[in-house]
Amino acid sequence: MNYEEAVRYLESTAARGSKLGLERVQELAKRLGEPQKQYRVIHIAGTNGKGSVGAMLASILTQAGYRTGHFSSPALTSPLDYFRLQTQEITEMQFAAVMTEVQAQAETMPDPPTQFEILAAAAYTLFARQRCDVAVIECCMGGDLDCTNIIDHPVLSIITNVKLDHMGFLGNTTAEIAAHKAGIIKHGCPVLLGAGTTDAAACAVIRERARMLDAPFCDAGAMTGTAGEMTLEGTVFRFDGQTYRIALPGTYQTLNAATVLHAVRILRMQGMTFPESAVHAGLETVRWHGRFEVLRKQPLILFDGAHNPDGMEQLHEGLTRYFGKKRCIAAIGVMADKDYSRYAQMLAPHVKCVYAVQPDNPRALAADALAEVFASAGIEAVPCRSVAEGVKNACFCAESEHLPVIGIGSLYLYRAFCGALQEIL
């Protein structure tokens, strides 16, 4: 297959939906030669922060001289964005080659794998074929039954945090959700609970799972470091007597960075080498899409993939820190299965007007329904027929009011939001 054919093949597998169980992805990996066993794996689960923690770790590993793969979802810019080598998106040729190899095995299976099972198998295969030393692998959702959870001996398992999200799949309490995420813990392999995780019920579940599997357990919950200067250019951060600069804006990135620095300690104990200069350089140069990302400086346009109540609370803190009482014009689109009823209250101090849009996803909430939520909270809200219309209206309104624009909500909104900006600016 060439690149276009590979993309069409991947898109066609979405019709298979989601299926419980790891049997299909395990069988596919077996047919591909068990690629996940050919290098070290750092496995990451958690409600929020997986992408940023993974990106920071991949950046530090690359700076330290390791050939590094990184798998994350959803893909924000194109299908290439699921897979990164040395912190860069893979090429169209690499994507086509690995999809061709995976398709040849997947489509001969009696029960063909789902789209995300294909993506997970493709990630493990790609990183093996590219002779990676280590791969940073993010769970797509949950942990125990996640399509990436076919690793026997991760060098480190990380659970960034546990919040209420995906409750239709993972449970209605943090303890129930934590039980799923703790499924990535493996016998005798170290596990790290991310900085800032203080939910007692969730922590107890994860700690007990680690005890049962004799997995060395590190609880970084209270060891968060100290934030210094915070700007849209990044954050100065002090941890364990040293000062670091994080290239990513967002007040929540200090917790993610603290988690990463704890992970570096554990990986060093596992025999991996990280010069302190590589740790500093990795944090200073890391790049990641869609998390309080500055897309334009003149006029100021940002995007933040706050897609659940915890993410929206973190966005509230960031807008307060960076803009104070100055308000923004927002284009927002969310999934219907999220607790979106609370978003208006959280954003009320920060947005003057909201343009509601519907992301291109079967789970997306209709724009008029989302606009009604904000209008009911006393916020001017306009439903838009398309993402492009919403972004255009937000930018024109912001220009006349001399206010920043921010795209908010599902990461599935990101590509269309950026595409609309290209058309109008």
Side-chain angles (χ1 to χ4, degrees), residues 229-252:
E229 181 184 10
M230 285 187 175
T231 71
L232 291 175
E233 302 298 322
T235 302
V236 176
F237 173 67
R238 190 160 182 81
F239 182 88
D240 197 25
Q242 294 209 49
T243 300
Y244 300 87
R245 184 182 181 279
I246 313 165
L248 303 177
T251 54
Y252 48 80

Side-chain angles (χ1 to χ4, degrees), residues 155-411:
V155 67
L156 175 62
S157 299
I158 302 174
I159 300 172
T160 57
N161 51 46
V162 179
K163 304 290 183 179
L164 294 175
D165 196 17
H166 295 299
M167 290 181 286
F169 299 93
L170 303 179
N172 295 316
T173 68
T174 54
E176 291 174 329
I177 294 170
H180 285 286
K181 297 187 185 301
I184 70 167
I185 301 173
K186 300 300 190 298
H187 188 272
C189 301
V191 57
L192 169 64
L193 182 59
T197 304
T198 56
D199 185 286
C203 292
V205 169
I206 295 168
R207 185 184 297 274
E208 176 60 15
R209 177 71 175 177
R211 186 194 66 78
M212 290 174 59
L213 293 174
D214 293 322
F217 178 72
C218 176
D219 183 353
M223 298 176 281
T224 60
T226 304
E229 181 184 10
M230 285 187 175
T231 71
L232 291 175
E233 302 298 322
T235 302
V236 176
F237 173 67
R238 190 160 182 81
F239 182 88
D240 197 25
Q242 294 209 49
T243 300
Y244 300 87
R245 184 182 181 279
I246 313 165
L248 303 177
T251 54
Y252 48 80
Q253 296 297 5
T254 57
L255 293 179
N256 291 332
T259 298
V260 168
L261 292 171
H262 281 288
V264 168
R265 285 179 175 177
I266 296 169
L267 293 171
R268 282 171 170 159
M269 290 189 287
Q270 296 295 102
M272 299 183 71
T273 302
F274 295 92
E276 196 59 33
S277 59
V279 178
H280 283 271
L283 293 177
E284 288 173 2
T285 61
V286 63
R287 295 291 180 268
W288 199 235
H289 295 304
R291 281 73 169 185
F292 227 102
E293 181 183 3
V294 178
L295 299 173
R296 299 282 191 283
K297 291 185 177 180
Q298 294 293 335
L300 182 58
I301 303 175
L302 305 98
F303 188 95
D304 190 80
H307 59 277
N308 54 36
D310 180 61
M312 203 64 68
E313 180 61 34
Q314 293 174 346
L315 174 61
H316 161 72
E317 294 175 4
L319 290 171
T320 301
R321 181 69 180 243
Y322 297 124
F323 295 118
K325 295 183 179 181
K326 185 176 183 179
R327 297 198 173 194
C328 303
I329 306 299
I332 181 168
V334 304
M335 297 294 106
D337 54 5
K338 302 294 182 179
D339 187 11
Y340 57 84
S341 62
R342 300 166 54 191
Y343 294 175
Q345 180 182 2
M346 294 179 181
L347 291 175
H350 307 294
V351 296
K352 183 172 183 180
C353 180
V354 165
Y355 292 91
V357 302
Q358 181 173 344
D360 183 17
N361 187 284
R363 294 164 41 222
L365 181 68
D368 55 352
L370 181 59
E372 178 60 30
V373 171
F374 282 88
S376 298
I379 301 170
E380 182 182 354
V382 181
C384 299
R385 293 169 296 180
S386 67
V387 174
E389 179 183 296
V391 174
K392 180 179 179 180
N393 289 344
C395 288
F396 287 168
C397 178
E399 183 179 15
S400 64
E401 299 277 355
H402 303 289
L403 295 175
V405 172
I406 183 165
I408 303 172
S410 172
L411 291 170

